[in-house]
Amino acid sequence: MPYETIIVETRERVGLITLNRPKALNALNSELMGELTAALQAFDADDKVGCIVITGSEKAFAAGADIKEMQSKTYMDAYKGDFLTSWDRVTQTRKPILAAVAGYALGGGCELAMMCDIAIAATNARFGQPEITLGVMPGAGGTQRLTRFVGKAKAMDMVLTGRMMDAEEAERSGLVSRVVEPDALLDTALSMAGKIADFSLPIVMLAKESVNRAYETTLAEGTRFERRLFQSMFATDDQKEGMEAFVEKRTPNFTHK
Ligand code: CO8
């Protein structure tokens, strides 16, 4: 299927999605979100892909939901059309998704980065939830995920003042895992994703599910869930291969990719 607002390619076992509405700083309109979720579903179903990277341009990962598309919506449009619910499909992707963020990640752009499993930032990245300046508040997880990731103090600061966080603060606050120079961003993201894609895919998916469970449940339930998943891994060929390879001092050759 040809896409108009994203570029979709495969680099070895990594599915790469580049948001591509440069004139609107990758503002996330319904067409782009429809294409993005379709591409994610296609990669999820593709046995040749083990990990997914979402990136934007050097100037903008995404400068938010498309304000021009939203501005004249009525409450009935938003409610009856169940505005934003389709974004949940990003988090329903079972393979890991890495966000490689350069430039602006604002509003829905910051929320999209937070829906990914790992976010890495270029030194010029700027994260923010400026919805308050538009007379609204974050609507795609910003008040929830940001608060869980960076804590109440910084989340309130960002959501209520609309200020931006630079890459260094984002790393210090736990919003991103690494910061690299802009020209190293894509290579770093592809190399991290390539490494993940070389592991056993079912084990990677179970590990992703287990970490995400930490945000959904209590510590006791989460550790019980983790233990059950861990025990189930002894039913896989890849556990046998991984441990056997360690003992035999060789590189494992996982069956399930
Ligand atoms: N929506 C639509 N168009 C946009 C957006 C946007 N979010 N951001 C930038 N653009 C457009 C501009 O209108 C401009 O278009 P044109 O050339 O036709 O005038 C073009 O992109 C370039 O933008 P600027 O000229 O403004 O570029 P600057 O470098 O001067 O400024 C900024 C860059 C600071 C990023 C500035 O563009 C800006 O402040 N953008 C808006 C940021 C914002 O408020 N984002 C939050 C949007 S609301 C939101 O995300 C709600 C989330 C709710 C849930 C998710 C919804 C789907």
Side-chain angles (χ1 to χ4, degrees), residues 110-128:
C110 186
E111 290 170 310
L112 174 61
M114 291 191 291
M115 288 180 195
C116 297
D117 303 298
I118 302 176
I120 66 167
T123 49
N124 74 339
R126 296 287 176 276
F127 298 85

Side-chain angles (χ1 to χ4, degrees), residues 104-255:
Y104 296 111
L106 302 178
C110 186
E111 290 170 310
L112 174 61
M114 291 191 291
M115 288 180 195
C116 297
D117 303 298
I118 302 176
I120 66 167
T123 49
N124 74 339
R126 296 287 176 276
F127 298 85
Q129 299 288 164
E131 289 88 344
I132 198 87
T133 67
L134 299 168
V136 289
M137 62 178 234
T143 64
Q144 302 302 301
R145 289 195 182 90
L146 187 67
T147 308
R148 282 170 168 78
F149 295 172
V150 306
K152 178 184 164 189
K154 282 197 185 286
M156 281 289 190
D157 181 348
M158 290 174 74
V159 169
L160 297 185
T161 70
R163 82 161 170 96
M164 293 185 210
M165 224 185 221
D166 65 17
E168 191 271 324
E169 185 181 4
E171 185 184 25
R172 184 161 31 91
S173 309
L175 191 54
V176 304
S177 68
R178 303 183 195 186
V179 178
V180 297
E181 290 303 321
D183 58 8
L185 181 69
L186 189 58
D187 282 350
T188 307
L190 290 172
S191 143
M192 287 170 71
K195 186 176 173 108
I196 293 167
D198 271 344
F199 294 129
S200 165
L201 179 59
I203 302 295
V204 162
M205 293 196 309
L206 288 164
K208 160 174 168 158
E209 194 182 348
S210 196
V211 174
N212 280 333
R213 195 68 168 227
Y215 289 98
E216 308 279 353
T217 191
T218 61
L219 182 60
E221 282 307 313
T223 51
R224 194 197 317 276
F225 180 79
E226 177 193 72
R227 195 158 52 240
R228 289 285 173 261
L229 292 190
F230 181 76
Q231 290 163 348
S232 74
M233 288 170 185
F234 289 86
T236 67
D237 309 342
D238 286 338
Q239 172 270 327
K240 298 285 172 298
E241 170 60 11
M243 294 194 181
E244 201 172 284
F246 175 82
V247 172
E248 292 172 2
K249 301 189 188 302
R250 61 176 173 80
T251 306
N253 181 18
F254 295 119
T255 312

Side-chain angles (χ1 to χ4, degrees), residues 23-157:
K23 288 187 186 140
L25 300 183
N26 293 332
L28 304 166
N29 64 3
S30 47
E31 184 185 14
L32 188 152
M33 285 312 295
E35 292 191 347
L36 176 63
T37 51
L40 288 172
Q41 280 174 336
F43 278 147
D44 229 11
D46 185 345
D47 286 341
K48 294 186 291 305
V49 169
C51 190
I52 301 163
V53 172
I54 302 178
T55 195
S57 69
E58 191 166 334
K59 180 156 188 205
F61 177 72
D66 193 311
I67 299 167
K68 292 167 191 169
E69 191 182 64
M70 279 187 295
Q71 70 179 117
S72 55
K73 260 190 205 304
T74 63
Y75 170 69
M76 272 309 147
D77 295 334
Y79 180 70
K80 283 172 72 186
D82 212 3
F83 184 44
L84 297 181
T85 300
S86 67
W87 285 46
D88 287 349
R89 290 191 201 129
V90 175
T91 56
Q92 285 157 7
T93 307
R94 297 176 73 212
K95 292 175 184 170
I97 310 176
L98 204 153
V101 179
Y104 296 111
L106 302 178
C110 186
E111 290 170 310
L112 174 61
M114 291 191 291
M115 288 180 195
C116 297
D117 303 298
I118 302 176
I120 66 167
T123 49
N124 74 339
R126 296 287 176 276
F127 298 85
Q129 299 288 164
E131 289 88 344
I132 198 87
T133 67
L134 299 168
V136 289
M137 62 178 234
T143 64
Q144 302 302 301
R145 289 195 182 90
L146 187 67
T147 308
R148 282 170 168 78
F149 295 172
V150 306
K152 178 184 164 189
K154 282 197 185 286
M156 281 289 190
D157 181 348

